[in-house]
Every structure is written in C-alpha cells, then in structure tokens.
Amino acid sequence: MNKYLTVDEAVNILNAGGVVAVPTETVYGLACMAENPEAVSRIYQIKNRPADNPLICHFQSIEQLMEYIETPLEAALILLKHFTPGPISFLLNLKKESTLKAATGGREKVVARIPSHPMFLSILKKLNKPIAAPSANSSGKYSATSADMVLTDIGDKIDGVVDGGPSSAGIESTILSFSDTAINILRPGVIGPDDIKEVLKSSNIALPVLYAQSAEVTPGSKYKHYAPLTPLVFIDSIANYHPNKHFALITVDEAELPYQVDANTFSLGSIHKPEEIAANLYRTLFEMDQLQLAKAFLYLPTIPDKHWQHTLYNRIQKMIQHT
Ligand code: TXA
Ligand code: MG
C-alpha cells in the first residue's frame, strides 16, 4: 500500500477517524480528529505513549481556538497574535464540558498550537476542526523531521504520511503557560525569552519570562525522550572519544578531532549557528542509527547563545533521562 498521501487523501482519512502523519515547521505530527476518542486512543497505541501524557491540539486560526477556550490573559493574546501561525504552543483553559477532553485526558487545560506549515494548515482548514497531533515518533525516541523518518519508525502502524519536506525548525515548539505574575516556558524552542519580552515590551507588559519546566504541568517532560536506538553517551571532552569501527561520534564543526573524519563521524553544524544544530539534531540521530553501531558519543561544547544552550541541552539531557 502506498503510504504517501495527498492533502485531500489525508483529510478524508482523518474525517473517517484515521491516524496520519503530517508535516509541521517544528517536527512531524501524528494526527487525528481531536474530538474523536477512538482515534485519540489509537494514537496512544501507535506511539506506545503513557496514558497520563495528554495530546497537544492544533487549530487553523485564533478565531477557531477562541471557540474552545476561556478568554486568555492579555499577554497570551498578544503573543498568540504575534507569533502564530508558528512554532509556539500555549497552555490555556478549556471551556466547561469541552469536547477536547478526549485529547487532554480529562484535563481542563489544553496545549494549543496554530502551525504555519502550509500543508498542515490546509488540512486544518479543510476539516474545520481541531487536530490532536503529538510528535510522530514512538514514545521515548527522537521526533521525526521528515516523512521517511516517520515511515521507518511507525510506518506499519499508521494510515499514511503527507510528505511536506524536512521540518524547518527540527525541534518541537516552545510551550508557554501564563499567570498574573509570570510567563513560564514549559518547553524551550525556537522562540525564546528575548523574543517574547520584546513583543510584550511594545505593549507595555513587563512580566518576567521564566524557564519553568515541570513534570506536573507537562507530563511528557518526566519521561525519557528524543533518544536514538543506538546507546548514546555524552562526553565533555573530545579527548574522551576513542574511534572504533563500532562507534559513532556526533559533534560540531568546532570540535578538533584527533583523528581523520570517517563515515562514523557526524557534525551537527557550527555552535555559532544553533538554529542549524537544532534543525540537524534528530535527522543526524536517525542517520547514525542506520549504521547499527554498538555505541554513539555526543560531544557538544557550550553554545554562546544562552537560550540555545538551554534549549539544545534540554533535549540532550532527556535523551539519557530514565524514570
Ligand atoms: O512542535 C510541537 O509541539 C509538535 C508538533 C507536532 O506540533 N508536537 C509535540 O507534541 O511536540 P508532543 O506530544 O510530543 O509534546 C507535547 C508536550 C508533551 O510534553 C505533553 O505532556 C504536553 O505537551 N502537553 C500536551 N497537552 C497538555 C496539557 N493539556 N496539559 C499539560 N501538558 C500538555
Ligand atoms: Mg514528543
């Protein structure tokens, strides 16, 4: 069966309660109608996702989102208007008796995102309904940033994939939550605290913007995440890498290798272009996995940009985090 779908084929399958992978500007999403409990439960099975980890929901516009949520705080509204459609998500209060509780596992808040990828936006507009779409990967593994990565991981379990090319950001969206006293970054991403503060400043809002990831708020953050299949070891000096045909090294352009670059050596890019490191990270883990080696080593020196240092290490730390 051909697993590659057109936008219209994907719309028909979703409408009938199916599960398909869709491209987004962050990572590929595993999509179903958010208000369909059976389709939602299939996503948990396909991903082997813990039942206490709710699904992020995607909307075609702010107007559509407003039909589902209580009026957000002013800061949330300003940031929604400024950054969406785009790689950012908002934890917001659902209206009472919400039909989205199938996707949120009964929670009264939803993580909501309006994506900018034109193919996904087109699917959302044609369906005119919210779509639940966690990252399109087996639970615990790195997210897929291309259609071939999705098919290699979960191709036999899904109804198809819409190929929208490589995801431009390559890491998952920034997730924000709001209170009267602060804006919390629950998951760091391409959009960082300085970008957020700048937008608020022009509206005369001076709330602190804090990194405040909490497993209580976003249950997904307590699990091992983003890991390759090949056992991965972190090294804080390149001198700790002893090349061997059974080992791979993943590093950056600045690393001074004590040996000749070979097929088992991967560079994520330059530490002065952290967006490129982010865009290459999961793809590189995928390519490294194809070599089926005994072990991989990751050497990533400090990234000069503080927000990117925090964001990339957030992902990397979780690759070895166990619960
Ligand atoms: O960029 C992204 O956000 C991608 C694309 C496909 O949109 N999606 C994504 O989904 O990364 P996922 O499920 O892999 O990560 C969403 C995170 C998880 O840590 C989950 O626990 C949290 O958001 N989350 C989702 N709904 C929530 C809710 N109602 N309350 C608290 N946390 C929630
Ligand atoms: Mg995920």
Side-chain angles (χ1 to χ4, degrees), residues 33-38 40-41 44 55 98-106:
M33 303 301 277
E35 294 159 293
N36 179 335
E38 288 85 36
V40 162
S41 72
Y44 282 87
L55 303 187
S98 175
T99 48
L100 288 179
K101 285 198 180 160
T104 67

Side-chain angles (χ1 to χ4, degrees), residues 72-127:
L73 292 172
E74 192 192 359
L77 207 49
I78 289 168
L79 296 174
L80 261 168
K81 284 185 186 151
H82 186 88
F83 287 115
T84 67
I88 188 163
S89 303
F90 297 79
L91 183 67
L92 299 166
N93 293 320
L94 286 170
K95 284 186 176 162
K96 291 240 156 13
E97 319 280 332
S98 175
T99 48
L100 288 179
K101 285 198 180 160
T104 67
R107 288 163 184 261
E108 277 153 23
K109 289 174 190 253
V110 65
V111 167
R113 181 158 110 77
I114 302 166
S116 66
H117 194 292
M119 286 171 126
F120 191 16
L121 260 188
S122 163
I123 291 170
L124 281 162
K125 285 182 180 157
K126 286 179 188 229
L127 287 166

Side-chain angles (χ1 to χ4, degrees), residues 24 26-29 47 49 53-56 58 89 91 104 107 109-111 113 133-135 171-173 175 187 217-221 225:
T24 95
T26 55
V27 298
Y28 273 62
K47 283 184 59 89
R49 185 179 179 96
N53 193 358
L55 303 187
I56 180 173
H58 299 76
S89 303
L91 183 67
T104 67
R107 288 163 184 261
K109 289 174 190 253
V110 65
V111 167
R113 181 158 110 77
S135 53
I171 54 166
E172 306 75 7
S173 62
I175 303 180
R187 180 175 68 186
V217 187
T218 49
S221 63
H225 243 100

Side-chain angles (χ1 to χ4, degrees), residues 44-246:
Y44 282 87
Q45 282 164 21
I46 292 169
K47 283 184 59 89
N48 195 18
R49 185 179 179 96
D52 70 346
N53 193 358
L55 303 187
I56 180 173
C57 294
H58 299 76
F59 299 81
Q60 58 168 293
S61 63
I62 296 176
E63 291 68 37
Q64 187 191 40
L65 171 61
M66 291 305 159
E67 292 169 24
Y68 289 86
I69 56 162
E70 301 284 1
T71 308
L73 292 172
E74 192 192 359
L77 207 49
I78 289 168
L79 296 174
L80 261 168
K81 284 185 186 151
H82 186 88
F83 287 115
T84 67
I88 188 163
S89 303
F90 297 79
L91 183 67
L92 299 166
N93 293 320
L94 286 170
K95 284 186 176 162
K96 291 240 156 13
E97 319 280 332
S98 175
T99 48
L100 288 179
K101 285 198 180 160
T104 67
R107 288 163 184 261
E108 277 153 23
K109 289 174 190 253
V110 65
V111 167
R113 181 158 110 77
I114 302 166
S116 66
H117 194 292
M119 286 171 126
F120 191 16
L121 260 188
S122 163
I123 291 170
L124 281 162
K125 285 182 180 157
K126 286 179 188 229
L127 287 166
N128 201 25
K129 290 277 181 192
I131 289 183
S135 53
N137 53 277
S138 309
S139 212
K141 213 177 159 191
Y142 46 74
S143 300
T145 55
S146 62
D148 65 326
M149 285 172 72
V150 175
L151 290 179
T152 302
D153 184 9
I154 50 172
D156 56 340
K157 299 178 187 154
I158 62 176
D159 299 325
V161 57
V162 177
D163 187 353
S167 298
S168 55
I171 54 166
E172 306 75 7
S173 62
T174 305
I175 303 180
L176 301 181
S177 77
F178 298 82
S179 74
D180 291 325
T181 52
I183 295 174
N184 289 313
I185 300 184
L186 302 178
R187 180 175 68 186
V190 171
I191 295 172
D194 291 347
D195 306 312
I196 293 164
K197 279 184 212 155
E198 199 176 303
V199 173
L200 294 177
K201 206 167 135 197
S202 52
S203 302
N204 288 320
I205 295 180
L207 289 174
V209 181
L210 312 168
Y211 293 114
Q213 186 192 76
S214 149
E216 270 163 50
V217 187
T218 49
S221 63
K222 72 173 177 280
Y223 295 107
K224 182 182 172 193
H225 243 100
Y226 318 121
L229 299 172
T230 312
L232 184 67
V233 177
F234 297 87
I235 47 177
D236 50 19
S237 160
I238 200 78
N240 295 340
Y241 182 62
H242 306 290
N244 172 319
K245 67 177 187 213
H246 303 293

